[in-house]
Short mmCIF file of all heavy atoms in Angstrom, two decimals:
data_model
loop_
_atom_site.label_atom_id
_atom_site.label_comp_id
_atom_site.label_asym_id
_atom_site.label_seq_id
_atom_site.Cartn_x
_atom_site.Cartn_y
_atom_site.Cartn_z
N LEU T 105 3.25 8.50 24.42
CA LEU T 105 3.49 8.98 23.05
C LEU T 105 4.53 8.08 22.40
O LEU T 105 5.70 8.11 22.72
CB LEU T 105 3.98 10.43 23.05
CG LEU T 105 4.25 11.01 21.66
CD1 LEU T 105 2.97 11.04 20.83
CD2 LEU T 105 4.85 12.42 21.77
N SER T 106 4.07 7.25 21.47
CA SER T 106 4.93 6.30 20.77
C SER T 106 5.12 6.76 19.33
O SER T 106 5.11 7.96 19.06
CB SER T 106 4.30 4.91 20.87
OG SER T 106 5.14 3.93 20.31
N GLN T 107 5.25 5.82 18.39
CA GLN T 107 5.41 6.13 16.97
C GLN T 107 4.65 5.12 16.14
O GLN T 107 4.61 3.92 16.51
CB GLN T 107 6.88 6.15 16.56
CG GLN T 107 7.71 7.25 17.16
CD GLN T 107 9.09 7.35 16.56
OE1 GLN T 107 9.43 6.63 15.62
NE2 GLN T 107 9.88 8.26 17.08
N MET T 108 4.11 5.55 15.02
CA MET T 108 3.36 4.63 14.18
C MET T 108 4.22 3.51 13.63
O MET T 108 3.73 2.40 13.38
CB MET T 108 2.67 5.38 13.04
CG MET T 108 1.80 4.49 12.18
SD MET T 108 0.80 5.37 10.97
CE MET T 108 -0.50 5.98 11.98
N THR T 109 5.51 3.75 13.47
CA THR T 109 6.40 2.73 12.96
C THR T 109 6.34 1.46 13.83
O THR T 109 6.55 0.34 13.31
CB THR T 109 7.86 3.24 12.92
OG1 THR T 109 7.86 4.54 12.35
CG2 THR T 109 8.74 2.33 12.09
N VAL T 110 6.04 1.62 15.10
CA VAL T 110 5.98 0.46 16.02
C VAL T 110 4.99 -0.57 15.53
O VAL T 110 5.21 -1.78 15.67
CB VAL T 110 5.62 0.94 17.45
CG1 VAL T 110 5.25 -0.22 18.35
CG2 VAL T 110 6.77 1.75 18.04
N SER T 111 3.90 -0.12 14.88
CA SER T 111 2.88 -1.07 14.44
C SER T 111 3.37 -1.96 13.31
O SER T 111 2.72 -2.96 12.99
CB SER T 111 1.61 -0.31 14.00
OG SER T 111 1.87 0.52 12.90
N GLN T 112 4.49 -1.60 12.69
CA GLN T 112 5.05 -2.41 11.58
C GLN T 112 6.29 -3.18 12.04
O GLN T 112 6.94 -3.81 11.20
CB GLN T 112 5.44 -1.48 10.42
CG GLN T 112 4.24 -0.69 9.88
CD GLN T 112 4.71 0.41 8.93
OE1 GLN T 112 5.62 1.20 9.22
NE2 GLN T 112 4.09 0.46 7.74
N MET T 113 6.59 -3.14 13.34
CA MET T 113 7.83 -3.76 13.84
C MET T 113 7.53 -5.10 14.50
O MET T 113 6.42 -5.39 14.90
CB MET T 113 8.51 -2.82 14.84
CG MET T 113 9.02 -1.55 14.23
SD MET T 113 9.62 -0.34 15.45
CE MET T 113 11.04 -1.21 16.14
N THR T 114 8.60 -5.92 14.61
CA THR T 114 8.54 -7.15 15.37
C THR T 114 9.66 -7.12 16.40
O THR T 114 10.47 -6.18 16.45
CB THR T 114 8.78 -8.36 14.44
OG1 THR T 114 10.13 -8.36 13.96
CG2 THR T 114 7.81 -8.33 13.26
N ALA T 115 9.73 -8.16 17.22
CA ALA T 115 10.77 -8.23 18.26
C ALA T 115 12.17 -8.28 17.66
O ALA T 115 13.14 -7.90 18.32
CB ALA T 115 10.53 -9.43 19.17
N THR T 116 12.29 -8.68 16.40
CA THR T 116 13.61 -8.87 15.81
C THR T 116 13.86 -8.07 14.55
O THR T 116 14.88 -8.23 13.90
CB THR T 116 13.86 -10.37 15.50
OG1 THR T 116 12.82 -10.83 14.63
CG2 THR T 116 13.84 -11.21 16.77
N SER T 117 12.94 -7.18 14.18
CA SER T 117 13.16 -6.40 12.96
C SER T 117 14.36 -5.45 13.14
O SER T 117 14.60 -4.98 14.25
CB SER T 117 11.90 -5.60 12.57
OG SER T 117 11.50 -4.75 13.63
N THR T 118 15.04 -5.16 12.05
CA THR T 118 16.27 -4.37 12.16
C THR T 118 16.29 -3.15 11.24
O THR T 118 17.27 -2.40 11.23
CB THR T 118 17.49 -5.26 11.82
OG1 THR T 118 17.34 -5.77 10.48
CG2 THR T 118 17.63 -6.40 12.81
N GLU T 119 15.25 -2.92 10.47
CA GLU T 119 15.27 -1.81 9.53
C GLU T 119 15.04 -0.46 10.17
O GLU T 119 15.35 0.59 9.59
CB GLU T 119 14.19 -2.00 8.45
CG GLU T 119 14.35 -3.25 7.59
CD GLU T 119 13.71 -4.47 8.24
OE1 GLU T 119 13.09 -4.31 9.33
OE2 GLU T 119 13.83 -5.56 7.67
N GLU T 120 14.53 -0.46 11.40
CA GLU T 120 14.12 0.79 12.05
C GLU T 120 15.31 1.45 12.77
O GLU T 120 16.35 0.82 13.00
CB GLU T 120 12.98 0.51 13.03
CG GLU T 120 11.73 -0.03 12.37
CD GLU T 120 11.77 -1.51 12.10
OE1 GLU T 120 12.59 -2.23 12.72
OE2 GLU T 120 10.99 -1.97 11.24
N SER T 121 15.08 2.69 13.17
CA SER T 121 16.11 3.44 13.90
C SER T 121 16.19 2.94 15.34
O SER T 121 15.28 2.29 15.86
CB SER T 121 15.80 4.93 13.90
OG SER T 121 14.73 5.23 14.76
N TYR T 122 17.27 3.30 16.01
CA TYR T 122 17.43 2.95 17.43
C TYR T 122 16.30 3.59 18.24
O TYR T 122 15.76 2.97 19.16
CB TYR T 122 18.81 3.41 17.91
CG TYR T 122 19.10 3.04 19.35
CD1 TYR T 122 19.12 1.70 19.74
CD2 TYR T 122 19.37 4.01 20.31
CE1 TYR T 122 19.41 1.33 21.05
CE2 TYR T 122 19.65 3.66 21.61
CZ TYR T 122 19.65 2.33 21.99
OH TYR T 122 19.92 1.97 23.29
N GLN T 123 15.93 4.83 17.90
CA GLN T 123 14.85 5.49 18.62
C GLN T 123 13.54 4.74 18.43
O GLN T 123 12.77 4.57 19.38
CB GLN T 123 14.69 6.92 18.13
CG GLN T 123 13.56 7.71 18.78
CD GLN T 123 13.79 7.97 20.26
OE1 GLN T 123 14.93 8.15 20.68
NE2 GLN T 123 12.74 8.00 21.05
N GLN T 124 13.26 4.28 17.23
CA GLN T 124 12.04 3.52 16.98
C GLN T 124 12.03 2.20 17.75
O GLN T 124 11.00 1.78 18.28
CB GLN T 124 11.85 3.29 15.49
CG GLN T 124 11.48 4.58 14.75
CD GLN T 124 11.71 4.52 13.26
OE1 GLN T 124 12.48 3.70 12.77
NE2 GLN T 124 11.00 5.38 12.52
N ARG T 125 13.20 1.56 17.86
CA ARG T 125 13.29 0.34 18.67
C ARG T 125 13.02 0.63 20.14
O ARG T 125 12.35 -0.15 20.83
CB ARG T 125 14.69 -0.28 18.50
CG ARG T 125 15.00 -1.49 19.39
CD ARG T 125 13.98 -2.62 19.26
NE ARG T 125 13.79 -3.03 17.88
CZ ARG T 125 12.89 -3.93 17.49
NH1 ARG T 125 12.09 -4.47 18.40
NH2 ARG T 125 12.76 -4.28 16.24
N LEU T 126 13.49 1.77 20.64
CA LEU T 126 13.24 2.14 22.03
C LEU T 126 11.73 2.34 22.27
O LEU T 126 11.21 1.95 23.32
CB LEU T 126 14.00 3.42 22.39
CG LEU T 126 15.53 3.31 22.39
CD1 LEU T 126 16.15 4.65 22.79
CD2 LEU T 126 16.01 2.22 23.35
N HIS T 127 11.04 2.93 21.31
CA HIS T 127 9.59 3.09 21.43
C HIS T 127 8.89 1.72 21.47
O HIS T 127 7.97 1.52 22.27
CB HIS T 127 9.04 3.93 20.27
CG HIS T 127 9.17 5.39 20.46
ND1 HIS T 127 8.31 6.12 21.25
CD2 HIS T 127 10.04 6.29 19.96
CE1 HIS T 127 8.65 7.39 21.23
NE2 HIS T 127 9.70 7.51 20.46
N TRP T 128 9.33 0.81 20.62
CA TRP T 128 8.73 -0.54 20.60
C TRP T 128 8.92 -1.20 21.98
O TRP T 128 7.97 -1.75 22.55
CB TRP T 128 9.38 -1.39 19.51
CG TRP T 128 8.67 -2.69 19.26
CD1 TRP T 128 7.69 -2.94 18.34
CD2 TRP T 128 8.89 -3.93 19.93
NE1 TRP T 128 7.31 -4.25 18.40
CE2 TRP T 128 8.02 -4.89 19.38
CE3 TRP T 128 9.75 -4.34 20.95
CZ2 TRP T 128 7.98 -6.22 19.78
CZ3 TRP T 128 9.72 -5.66 21.39
CH2 TRP T 128 8.85 -6.58 20.81
N LEU T 129 10.12 -1.13 22.51
CA LEU T 129 10.41 -1.74 23.80
C LEU T 129 9.64 -1.06 24.94
O LEU T 129 9.13 -1.71 25.87
CB LEU T 129 11.90 -1.71 24.08
CG LEU T 129 12.76 -2.61 23.18
CD1 LEU T 129 14.24 -2.26 23.36
CD2 LEU T 129 12.52 -4.08 23.53
N ALA T 130 9.54 0.27 24.88
CA ALA T 130 8.81 1.02 25.90
C ALA T 130 7.36 0.61 25.93
O ALA T 130 6.75 0.46 27.00
CB ALA T 130 8.94 2.51 25.68
N GLU T 131 6.76 0.40 24.76
CA GLU T 131 5.37 -0.07 24.73
C GLU T 131 5.24 -1.43 25.42
O GLU T 131 4.25 -1.68 26.15
CB GLU T 131 4.87 -0.18 23.28
CG GLU T 131 4.51 1.15 22.65
CD GLU T 131 3.56 1.00 21.47
OE1 GLU T 131 2.89 -0.07 21.40
OE2 GLU T 131 3.45 1.93 20.68
N GLN T 132 6.21 -2.31 25.23
CA GLN T 132 6.16 -3.61 25.90
C GLN T 132 6.20 -3.43 27.41
O GLN T 132 5.41 -4.07 28.16
CB GLN T 132 7.33 -4.50 25.46
CG GLN T 132 7.58 -4.61 23.98
CD GLN T 132 6.35 -4.90 23.16
OE1 GLN T 132 5.65 -5.90 23.39
NE2 GLN T 132 6.05 -4.05 22.19
N VAL T 133 7.09 -2.55 27.88
CA VAL T 133 7.20 -2.31 29.33
C VAL T 133 5.89 -1.80 29.92
O VAL T 133 5.43 -2.28 30.96
CB VAL T 133 8.35 -1.33 29.61
CG1 VAL T 133 8.34 -0.85 31.07
CG2 VAL T 133 9.71 -1.98 29.29
N PHE T 134 5.30 -0.81 29.25
CA PHE T 134 4.05 -0.26 29.76
C PHE T 134 2.94 -1.32 29.76
O PHE T 134 2.14 -1.39 30.70
CB PHE T 134 3.62 0.96 28.92
CG PHE T 134 4.42 2.20 29.20
CD1 PHE T 134 4.93 2.97 28.16
CD2 PHE T 134 4.67 2.61 30.50
CE1 PHE T 134 5.65 4.12 28.41
CE2 PHE T 134 5.40 3.75 30.75
CZ PHE T 134 5.89 4.51 29.72
N ASP T 135 2.89 -2.13 28.73
CA ASP T 135 1.87 -3.17 28.67
C ASP T 135 2.07 -4.21 29.76
O ASP T 135 1.14 -4.66 30.42
CB ASP T 135 1.84 -3.85 27.30
CG ASP T 135 1.29 -2.91 26.22
OD1 ASP T 135 0.63 -1.92 26.56
OD2 ASP T 135 1.54 -3.21 25.01
N TRP T 136 3.34 -4.61 29.99
CA TRP T 136 3.64 -5.61 31.02
C TRP T 136 3.34 -5.06 32.42
O TRP T 136 3.08 -5.84 33.34
CB TRP T 136 5.11 -5.99 30.95
CG TRP T 136 5.51 -6.73 29.69
CD1 TRP T 136 4.67 -7.48 28.89
CD2 TRP T 136 6.80 -6.79 29.12
NE1 TRP T 136 5.40 -7.97 27.83
CE2 TRP T 136 6.71 -7.58 27.93
CE3 TRP T 136 8.04 -6.26 29.45
CZ2 TRP T 136 7.79 -7.85 27.13
CZ3 TRP T 136 9.15 -6.52 28.65
CH2 TRP T 136 9.03 -7.31 27.49
N SER T 137 3.40 -3.73 32.58
CA SER T 137 3.23 -3.14 33.90
C SER T 137 1.83 -3.34 34.47
O SER T 137 1.63 -3.30 35.67
CB SER T 137 3.54 -1.64 33.85
OG SER T 137 2.48 -0.93 33.20
N GLY T 138 0.85 -3.54 33.59
CA GLY T 138 -0.52 -3.65 34.04
C GLY T 138 -1.19 -2.34 34.34
O GLY T 138 -2.31 -2.29 34.81
N LEU T 139 -0.49 -1.21 34.07
CA LEU T 139 -1.07 0.10 34.28
C LEU T 139 -2.14 0.40 33.23
O LEU T 139 -2.17 -0.22 32.16
CB LEU T 139 0.03 1.18 34.19
CG LEU T 139 1.09 1.15 35.31
CD1 LEU T 139 2.29 2.00 34.93
CD2 LEU T 139 0.50 1.62 36.63
N PRO T 140 -3.05 1.34 33.53
CA PRO T 140 -4.09 1.72 32.56
C PRO T 140 -3.49 2.60 31.44
O PRO T 140 -3.45 3.82 31.54
CB PRO T 140 -5.09 2.50 33.41
CG PRO T 140 -4.28 3.06 34.53
CD PRO T 140 -3.21 2.05 34.82
N VAL T 141 -3.02 1.95 30.39
CA VAL T 141 -2.21 2.63 29.37
C VAL T 141 -3.04 2.88 28.12
O VAL T 141 -3.89 2.10 27.72
CB VAL T 141 -0.98 1.75 29.01
CG1 VAL T 141 -0.18 2.38 27.87
CG2 VAL T 141 -0.09 1.58 30.23
#
Side-chain angles (χ1 to χ4, degrees):
L105 181 62
S106 186
Q107 294 190 2
M108 184 172 281
T109 314
V110 168
S111 63
Q112 301 168 311
M113 294 172 65
T114 69
T116 57
S117 58
T118 59
E119 298 86 3
E120 297 81 20
S121 73
Y122 184 59
Q123 179 66 34
Q124 289 163 337
R125 174 55 54 184
L126 294 180
H127 278 281
W128 190 92
L129 291 168
E131 284 202 19
Q132 312 311 304
V133 169
F134 285 133
D135 289 342
W136 294 335
S137 73
L139 293 167
V141 176

